[in-house]
Structures are given as C-alpha cells and as structure tokens.
C-alpha cells in the first residue's frame, strides 16, 4: 500500500476486513521504499494514493508497469477529476476508488485479482503453446531429415542392386540361348520364370529410384517446347503389344490447334505411359481406352486418359496417388502391381508445374486428368524459378546458408556457345559435387546456374576450384576468343530475399 496517511491506511484495511478479505499488507510512503518492497514483499495487488509529499500515483504506476506489469494497480485517492481518471486508466491502472466511497474497494480488488489471474493463465497457455510449437517444429525437422535419409538409402540401395541384377539377367539369357550348352524344356521354363521375376524386380527398383528422386526434389527436368500430339502418339505406339494382347480399342482425340506445352519430353512420355498402361491393366478385353487433350485455361492444357475398366470405389479416390496404395476391390484383385506408378506420375506432373486428379465410377471406368503449362517460347523459365523458390524456402526454414552461382559464356557463334555450355555443365558437376548441390540452366539467357548449401567462405573455395578447372580445360595452351564469367551471392550474408540473391549474383556476373 502506497499511502502517506496511517489513518487512511487503517480505514482501507478495515473496509477489506469488513468484507471478509484476508490479507497481509505493507505500507510505504517513499519512492525508494516502494521500489524495495516491490521486490522484497512481492505484492499480489497495489493500492496507491494519488498525491504523496515527494511521490505520486502516476509515477508509481509507471514503475510497476515497467518492472512488474502483471501486478494489478488500483488508485485509492481523495479526489480525482474525470480527465485525470481517464489518464490514469489509459496509463495502465486497473481501477480507481475514491476514499469517500471505500465500500466499492473490495469489489474492485476482487475483480482486478480475477482479471490478473486470467491474464496469467492466458500467458502461461501462450508460453506452453509456443513450447509445443517449437517442439513440433523440431519434430517436423527431424521427420524431414529421416525422410531424406530414407530416400537417400532407397536411392543408393536401388542403384547398387541394379548392377548385379543386370549381370544375373545377362547370365540367364546366355543359358536360354544355349551359349553355355544345351538345356531341356523344363530347365528353359524355369529360367524364363526367373527372367520374368528379374524384370519385375528391375521395374520395382526403377520405380523406387524415381520416387526417391521426386521426394528429395532431385528429379532432373529438361524443359522445352513439346508437341502434345507427337508425345501422345509415341506413348500409344509403345504400348501396342499390350493393346493387341487384350483386343482393346485405343482412341486419340487431340485437336489440330492444341497449343504446344512446356515440359520435359521424357517425363511427359513417362506420365502418359504410366496412365495409359494403368488403364490397360484395369480394362477388360474388348474395352476402350481414349486419350484426349483440350485447353484448360489461358495458361494450361489438360490431358485426359479415360478407360471403360473396373473403376475405383469412391472412398479410395483420394488415396490412389499415395505410394504403395493398391485399390481394394474384388474386381481388381487379379491385377498385380507395386502401387508406385501413380505416386510417381503425380510427382512428375507436379515437377512439371501441373496438377493431376481422377474421376471414377465403380464398374464403369476411370478418367485421369493432368495439366501442363502452355509453351510461351523462351519466355518461361519455370524450372529455374521453381528450384530456386524451393531451395530458398528450405534455407530460410532450416536457417542454413545458400549460395547462387551464375555462369555465362560470351561467344558470338551460338553453336560453339551451346557446345561450351554443355561442357561447362559437365565440369560444374565435378566442382559442385555434393548431393545437395543443384545444377540447372536458365534457358532464355543460356546461363548455367548452381545452387549450393554453403556460406560465402565455402563459395569462394568452390569459385576458385571452378576457375582452375576452366583454366585447365579451355585456356592453357589454346588460342581462345570466348570469355567465361561467373557471379555469385550468398544468403543471408549478402542477400535477405530470393529476388535480392538473384539480382546480386547477376550484377556480379555482368561486372566480372
């Protein structure tokens, strides 16, 4: 209690006891005493007179709000004008009570204490929420790390298994061809069975490799302008044997004026082959599989693969793109697969900056539709923008450095320039050799770009190594007219945004 009158202090205490409020109080008058007892006595609530001989209530309120903002503060004063009362409440006082109306004081105290308790509980809840959020973020980071380790393991294991499998298949084929001696019909039958299982295992390993690359964001995309009709015709012709075996009708509906798309030709053919092959598997003999294309909107083309197959139950439509998921239905039990094809297809579509979805009716068939960007010549540079977006976001989330390198060849002859760029691409994969480093091209400007998880010190080491390799390969002992320049910038040491990172790297490239 900050009160210079012992009589007023006694009246205040009597008013509280009269209302059955139990308390222990400490009365102070001076500023130094007030500050000392705030720490030593540790009050639950402060009752303060407004005017004291060398100290006033507003100054006391300022001290409390700066040092102990959670302690309720009530002014108990003899007289307080309306303007001054408003100023006191705006400054942070919980209430004010006039000394000629002390009957209101117990209620003011109880309300202030309840509000303070509520604020304290809210603060504790917020702190706990922050703690849970931090723990969740740490758990998510650990899950991401474990997922990356898993993908890396799957990639390495799949790659290492392919070589011995190829050797086993080669040995089986040599025996089947009689190169190692004559074999009887029964032996040939078992060897053919082994060969089919080797092929199945090889396909599974290839699927696992594709999936691990997609999940780790390391799938290599070579964007270019693609004729949609040509890509669809190629995919249909590659599946002719499966079509003929089941007497299935194949139809293609691609209008003559359909725009070219911007994507990776090999990945587009893989998407189409996966979807058409999937439709062929689930379509009975004599059925129909059709591939069509249409303009989806101003920027996208939609390609649909429709079949007259068994269809997908409604409750499984949102699961068909999950890895290892296989549709559970009596009509599909005879069809075997790894459950990876549609997961890979979805990953490839998204890597091509499109979307994919499915519509189906059980017993009547399914329609898989995906979108791809319409080509705008060399105006687009989707791969570079997408990869830089992804890697910059990853660096900001993980609080790790990121360096962007830009490498350009200055040569008038475009054919020579393209040839040198190709050689630099191979060279950069030698210098930027870690699994986390990404090499790609900005097609419009014919610039080679590298994105590395390294700070400016590590970037300088890579820069010098690259310069030395260029000197060895292109300069020493040769009369050359070409100029190779490189610019780089590092986040967060030199740039705090993705735009600034690219701008600084490009400025240094131009001034190199």
């Amino acid at each position: 209690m900050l009160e210079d009158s012992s009589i007023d202090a006694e009246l205040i205490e009597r008013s509280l006891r009269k209302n059955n409020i139990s308390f222990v109080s400490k009365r102070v008058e001076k500023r130094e005493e007030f500050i000392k007892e705030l720490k030593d006595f540790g009050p639950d609530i402060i009752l303060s007179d407004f005017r004291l001989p060398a100290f006033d209530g507003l100054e006391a309120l300022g001290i409390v709000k700066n040092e102990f903002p959670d302690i309720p503060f009530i002014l108990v004063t003899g007289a307080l004008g309306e303007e001054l009362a408003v100023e006191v409440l705006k400054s942070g006082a919980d209430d004010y009570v006039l000394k000629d109306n002390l009957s209101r004081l117990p209620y003011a105290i109880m309300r202030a204490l309840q509000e303070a308790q509520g604020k304290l509980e809210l603060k504790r809840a917020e702190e706990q929420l922050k703690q849970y959020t931090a723990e969740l973020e740490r758990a998510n980071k650990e899950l991401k790390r474990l997922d990356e380790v898993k993908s890396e393991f799957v990639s390495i294991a799949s790659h290492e298994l392919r070589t011995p499998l190829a050797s086993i298949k080669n040995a089986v084929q040599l025996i089947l061809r009689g190169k190692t001696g004559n074999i009887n019909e029964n032996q040939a039958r078992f060897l053919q069975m082994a060969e089919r299982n080797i092929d199945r295992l090889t396909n599974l390993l290839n699927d696992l490799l594709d999936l691990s690359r997609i999940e780790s964001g390391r799938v290599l995309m070579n964007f270019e302008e693609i004729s949609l009709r040509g890509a669809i015709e190629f995919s249909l012709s590659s599946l002719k044997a499966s079509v003929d075996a089941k007497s299935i009708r194949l139809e293609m509906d691609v209008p003559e004026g359909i725009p070219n798309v911007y994507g990776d030709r090999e990945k587009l053919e893989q998407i189409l082959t996966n979807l058409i092959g999937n439709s062929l598997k689930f379509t009975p003999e004599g059925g129909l599989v059709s591939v069509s294309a249409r303009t989806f909107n101003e920027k996208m083309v939609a390609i649909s693969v429709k079949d007259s197959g068994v269809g997908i139950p409604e409750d499984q439509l949102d699961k068909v793109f999950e890895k290892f998921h296989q549709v559970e239905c009596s009509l599909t039990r005879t069809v075997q697969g790894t459950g990876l094809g549609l997961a890979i297809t979805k990953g490839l579509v998204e890597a091509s900056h499109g979307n994919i979805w499915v519509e189906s009716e059980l017993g009547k068939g399914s329609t898989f539709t995906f979108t791809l960007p319409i080509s705008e010549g060399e105006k687009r540079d989707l791969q570079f923008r997408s990869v830089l977006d992804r890697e910059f976001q990853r660096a900001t989330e993980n609080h790790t450095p990121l360096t962007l390198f830009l490498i350009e060849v200055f040569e008038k002859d475009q054919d020579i320039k393209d040839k040198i760029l190709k050689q630099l691409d191979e060279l950069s994969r030698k210098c930027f050799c870690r699994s986390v480093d990404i090499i790609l091209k900005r097609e419009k400007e014919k610039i080679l770009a590298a994105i590395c998880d390294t700070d400016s010190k590590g970037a300088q080491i890579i820069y010098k190594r690259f310069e030395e390799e260029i000197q060895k390969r292109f300069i020493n002992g040769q009369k050359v007219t070409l100029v190779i320049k490189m610019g780089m910038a590092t986040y967060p040491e030199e740039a705090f945004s993705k735009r600034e990172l690219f701008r600084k790297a490009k400025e240094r490239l131009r001034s190199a």
Side-chain angles (χ1 to χ4, degrees):
M1 188 186 302
L2 183 59
E3 175 61 66
D4 63 333
S5 169
S6 60
I7 295 172
D8 286 350
E10 177 62 30
L11 287 172
I12 290 170
E13 289 182 353
R14 191 180 301 168
S15 172
L16 298 181
R17 289 191 184 99
K18 185 179 177 181
N19 284 271
N20 298 316
I21 296 177
S22 300
F23 63 91
V24 176
S25 68
K26 184 90 174 181
R27 185 173 70 86
V28 296
E29 298 181 26
K30 298 178 181 179
R31 188 178 190 277
E32 294 75 15
E33 290 178 316
F34 180 67
I35 293 172
K36 180 177 181 297
E37 295 303 334
L38 279 175
K39 296 175 182 176
D40 295 348
F41 184 68
D44 294 316
I45 191 166
I46 297 168
L47 306 179
S48 172
D49 195 359
F50 186 70
R51 299 194 186 280
L52 296 105
F55 196 36
D56 65 44
L58 272 179
E59 188 178 351
L61 177 60
I63 292 170
V64 172
K65 291 303 165 187
N66 283 332
E67 300 294 331
F68 304 95
D70 296 328
I71 301 177
F73 189 100
I74 296 177
L75 275 174
V76 185
T77 185
L80 200 65
E82 186 178 342
E83 288 184 8
L84 195 53
V86 170
E87 183 184 351
V88 165
L89 293 174
K90 280 186 176 179
S91 298
D94 292 86
D95 205 343
Y96 71 93
V97 176
L98 298 179
K99 288 182 178 178
D100 60 3
N101 189 21
L102 286 178
S103 61
R104 202 178 75 81
L105 182 59
Y107 303 104
I109 288 175
M110 296 308 295
R111 188 179 70 241
L113 287 172
Q114 286 172 359
E115 288 178 356
Q117 183 63 29
K119 289 177 183 176
L120 184 61
E121 289 174 0
L122 181 61
K123 188 176 180 180
R124 284 173 182 164
E126 287 174 348
E127 289 297 325
Q128 196 170 36
L129 183 61
K130 284 181 184 177
Q131 184 180 344
Y132 289 154
T133 302
E135 288 174 2
L136 186 61
E137 285 177 356
R138 284 194 294 271
N140 281 336
K141 283 182 181 178
E142 179 63 13
L143 284 173
K144 283 181 182 178
R145 187 189 70 80
L146 291 173
D147 191 55
E148 287 172 1
V149 169
K150 179 266 299 176
S151 295
E152 187 72 13
F153 171 76
V154 169
S155 177
I156 293 169
S158 301
H159 184 75
E160 291 299 319
L161 284 170
R162 288 204 304 178
T163 302
L165 267 179
S167 299
I168 294 168
K169 182 174 180 177
N170 186 49
V172 168
Q173 287 177 335
L174 286 172
I175 298 170
L176 278 171
R177 291 172 190 159
K179 300 293 184 182
T180 60
N182 294 330
I183 58 173
N184 58 42
E185 188 177 331
N186 198 39
Q187 290 169 331
R189 183 163 55 83
F190 278 103
L191 285 167
Q192 288 164 356
M193 191 186 303
E195 187 179 25
R196 285 194 299 272
N197 284 315
I198 290 168
D199 289 338
R200 283 180 59 194
L201 189 52
T202 302
N203 290 335
L204 174 59
L205 291 175
N206 289 336
D207 285 348
L208 286 170
L209 271 172
D210 285 342
L211 193 63
S212 68
R213 290 191 190 108
I214 290 167
E215 288 182 335
S216 62
R218 307 298 179 189
V219 60
L220 182 62
M221 303 290 289
N222 296 310
F223 284 90
E224 61 179 315
E225 188 170 344
I226 306 168
S227 164
L228 204 50
R229 176 179 285 273
I232 293 172
E233 285 176 345
F234 176 84
S235 300
L236 290 174
S237 64
S238 68
L239 293 165
K240 191 174 183 304
S242 300
V243 173
D244 293 343
K246 294 179 72 174
S247 302
I248 292 174
R249 285 186 299 125
L250 273 183
E251 291 182 358
M252 185 177 79
D253 180 16
V254 181
E256 287 294 335
I258 197 78
N260 288 343
V261 295
Y262 192 69
D264 183 304
R265 185 181 301 277
E266 184 181 326
K267 303 300 186 296
L268 172 56
E269 289 168 358
Q270 187 176 351
I271 292 165
L272 287 166
T273 302
N274 282 357
L275 291 177
I276 298 167
N278 197 63
S279 290
L280 291 173
K281 278 198 296 186
F282 293 98
T283 300
E285 289 191 15
L288 172 67
V289 174
S290 64
V291 184
S292 61
R294 59 186 170 85
T295 302
F296 188 68
N297 56 35
E298 292 179 357
K299 296 183 177 180
M300 308 293 279
V301 167
I303 302 100
S304 296
V305 178
K306 184 178 181 180
D307 63 60
S308 60
V310 297
I312 304 166
E314 188 177 353
D315 62 345
Q316 296 189 49
L317 285 174
D318 59 344
K319 300 176 182 176
V320 293
F321 295 108
E322 294 177 4
K323 55 190 176 185
F324 300 111
H325 179 77
Q326 293 184 316
V327 175
E328 290 296 329
C329 169
S330 59
L331 296 172
T332 64
R333 281 176 188 161
T334 57
V335 181
Q336 303 250 335
T338 63
L340 293 174
L342 290 177
I344 291 168
T345 300
K346 182 176 186 289
L348 292 176
V349 169
E350 290 174 350
S352 303
H353 309 284
N355 291 309
I356 187 169
W357 62 92
V358 60
E359 299 164 285
S360 185
E361 189 174 348
L362 197 60
K364 293 190 176 180
S366 305
T367 302
F368 286 84
T369 302
F370 67 97
T371 58
L372 288 178
I374 293 173
S375 175
E376 297 178 6
E378 287 196 335
K379 291 181 184 177
R380 291 183 177 273
D381 211 335
L382 295 176
Q383 184 191 20
F384 177 80
R385 294 207 309 266
S386 173
V387 172
L388 185 58
D389 283 350
R390 184 192 70 219
E391 294 304 312
F392 191 85
Q393 183 178 352
R394 183 181 295 174
T396 54
E397 287 175 354
N398 297 335
H399 305 290
T400 54
L402 187 76
T403 296
L404 171 65
F405 292 87
L406 297 177
I407 305 153
E408 187 172 12
V409 176
F410 292 85
E411 168 61 52
K412 291 181 180 179
D413 189 314
Q414 192 58 48
D415 291 337
I416 294 175
K417 185 175 182 177
D418 289 342
K419 186 178 178 181
I420 296 297
L421 266 174
K422 187 176 180 182
Q423 292 179 44
L424 282 173
D425 186 26
E426 295 170 359
L427 180 60
S428 61
R429 293 178 194 280
K430 178 180 177 182
C431 294
F432 306 93
C433 54
R434 299 174 305 165
S435 61
V436 292
D437 297 338
I438 299 169
I439 314 295
L440 61 162
K441 294 177 184 175
R442 284 181 56 80
E443 291 294 338
K444 181 180 177 183
E445 300 158 296
K446 298 296 182 185
I447 291 176
L448 197 65
I451 302 171
C452 307
D453 293 347
T454 186
D455 57 16
S456 57
K457 187 176 180 181
Q460 286 293 339
I461 295 170
I462 295 172
Y463 186 95
K464 288 179 182 177
R465 186 168 64 204
F466 196 75
E467 272 192 330
E468 289 170 2
E469 290 295 332
I470 288 174
Q471 187 74 23
K472 289 178 190 174
R473 184 171 296 199
F474 298 107
I475 310 299
N476 284 349
Q478 300 182 47
K479 291 183 178 180
V480 291
T481 57
L482 66 90
V483 176
I484 299 170
K485 292 185 176 181
M486 182 158 63
M488 65 181 183
T490 302
Y491 163 86
E493 295 170 67
E494 301 171 310
F496 293 102
S497 68
K498 179 189 61 183
R499 187 185 294 272
E500 189 181 9
L501 185 72
F502 177 71
R503 181 180 60 79
K504 283 198 172 182
K506 198 164 184 181
E507 282 177 359
R508 288 169 181 173
L509 176 69
R510 296 295 178 233
S511 61

